[in-house]
Amino acid sequence: MPLPRHTLAALAALLTCAQAHSQATLQDVAGHKFEVQKIAKPAAPATVIFENGSRNTLDKWAKVIPLLAKDATVFAYNRPGYGKSDKPVTPRDGKTIVEELRLLLKQQGLQPPYVLVGHSLGGLYMQMYARSYPHEVKGVVLVDALYPGVIKKPEEFPLMARWAKYMFMNAAMEAEVDQIYSTGQAMMNLPWDDNIPMVRLINVPKSPGAVAIDLGVANNDEKTRNLVMAMYPKACKVIVDSDHQMQLASPEVVADAIRDVIGAHDAKHQPALRCS
């Protein structure tokens, strides 16, 4: 008996996802190994670069990449200290991480301009990249990203947060968290080019069971919230009923945001998302 059409579609999606994940390899850059996943489409109109959040590895993009792999070159990787990548031998501030990514992209033969996609802490790094090298950036998609000032200085973390950081993070992840505040401050000293298309996906869950947990490390005062919301006034802001791991819970929304950024300067492109 032939399989139903929707079953065949589901199987095809699973096979595509498995194929994309199987392409993760170890690449040597300046004597250090990085775990990378690249699907190259030489004739594609864009090269999409994914940056993971804290404690996340490249497999978290496994539901998004298959939705884009036919239409764009896609690249995801694990920062030093994540997955199979080597442990870091450099500081874990945003500037260093951006420079390591640029070197990795060059080694992989991926030429700018790029569409930069960052989740959570990865979103902070992608903001740093776009401000540091605006001529290399085609657009930015921030997936429930971190912004300057949201996370306190590490010395202001309460005892419970310091304990959780020690228990649930390796040394590389701890070092990144300790640099979030200073990375944000350094980023704010760099200019922003308003001509760069940007979509900000902001998670606002409607579920009554949704509970925000920050262990006292976040500045959630009105001044900080207003500052964050006022950033990037020309960006398309999209409120999403999801969870923090939006790329897993709502991959179609993330993929639509990327497509909208790719087509931002195409008069024929019909945006899939409605800005708020």
Side-chain angles (χ1 to χ4, degrees), residues 51-53 56 61 117-123 143 244-247:
E51 184 68 84
N52 312 321
N56 284 176
W61 300 105
V117 184
H119 168 246
S120 193
L121 177 55
V143 184
H244 184 54
Q245 299 294 333
M246 197 182 294
Q247 68 275 42

Side-chain angles (χ1 to χ4, degrees), residues 28-197:
D28 188 277
V29 181
H32 303 286
K33 289 184 173 58
F34 285 80
E35 188 175 14
V36 308
Q37 177 181 345
K38 179 174 72 172
I39 303 176
K41 299 288 181 181
T47 297
V48 182
I49 312 299
F50 293 94
E51 184 68 84
N52 312 321
S54 179
R55 299 182 64 222
N56 284 176
T57 46
L58 61 82
D59 59 291
K60 294 295 188 292
W61 300 105
K63 291 185 177 180
V64 177
I65 287 175
L67 300 176
L68 299 166
K70 291 182 179 180
D71 306 311
T73 290
V74 294
F75 178 85
Y77 80 113
N78 286 328
R79 295 190 296 275
Y82 288 74
K84 296 179 181 179
S85 293
D86 283 348
K87 294 179 180 179
V89 295
T90 54
R92 293 295 83 201
D93 61 284
K95 178 175 174 55
T96 301
I97 287 169
V98 165
E99 295 303 328
E100 288 175 345
L101 174 57
R102 289 184 76 230
L103 181 61
L104 179 57
L105 294 174
K106 183 177 180 180
Q107 186 269 349
Q108 290 292 299
L110 297 174
Q111 301 300 318
Y114 309 117
V115 174
L116 304 177
V117 184
H119 168 246
S120 193
L121 177 55
L124 187 66
Y125 296 149
M126 289 311 204
Q127 292 171 74
M128 172 71 91
Y129 194 126
R131 287 172 180 256
S132 300
Y133 302 100
H135 59 285
E136 296 183 5
V137 180
K138 183 181 180 72
V140 179
V141 176
L142 301 177
V143 184
D144 211 24
L146 279 183
Y147 297 90
V150 170
I151 301 299
K152 298 175 181 177
K153 299 176 182 178
E155 58 267 26
E156 296 175 353
F157 286 10
L159 182 61
M160 179 62 72
R162 298 183 193 190
W163 176 84
K165 186 175 65 163
Y166 175 78
M167 291 296 296
F168 298 109
M169 293 184 173
N170 63 27
M173 298 169 188
E174 284 191 77
E176 287 184 352
V177 170
D178 287 345
Q179 293 290 333
I180 290 175
Y181 180 84
S182 60
T183 290
Q185 296 306 299
M187 193 201 89
M188 289 299 288
N189 289 327
L190 299 171
W192 169 250
D193 182 354
D194 264 333
N195 294 314
I196 296 176

